[in-house]
Amino acid sequence: SGSGEVDLVALDEALAELERHDPVAAGLVKLRYFSGFSHADAAELLGLTRRQADGRWALARAWLFRRLRPDS
């Protein structure tokens, strides 16, 4: 597999794990990446302030990065 490719099975597993840990953060990822909502719109749909959404987004990015790194 190429360096820019995402393993969809690994992504699905990582998202499922994130959802168990923080369902709101996982929801934010799903709305932004799979449903195409902007950050602000996804936050509004989830009933989050911009600041809350920013924190959850940072958590979700770090969570997924750690789990999807090739060397992990």
Side-chain angles (χ1 to χ4, degrees):
S1 80
S3 63
E5 295 177 13
V6 173
D7 180 339
L8 293 180
V9 172
L11 175 59
D12 185 58
E13 290 171 357
L15 268 175
E17 186 180 347
L18 175 59
E19 193 159 30
R20 288 188 295 275
H21 176 76
D22 190 332
V24 175
L28 196 56
V29 171
K30 290 176 184 180
L31 286 171
R32 290 193 61 188
Y33 276 101
F34 302 114
S35 298
F37 286 96
S38 69
H39 185 66
D41 289 342
E44 185 177 336
L45 283 168
L46 293 170
L48 301 173
T49 65
R50 176 64 189 238
R51 180 179 222 155
Q52 290 170 323
D54 289 349
R56 286 307 203 347
W57 182 247
L59 179 146
R61 285 185 55 177
W63 180 280
L64 293 172
F65 178 78
R66 281 193 311 268
R67 278 150 185 82
L68 297 175
R69 277 195 334 227
D71 63 344
S72 59

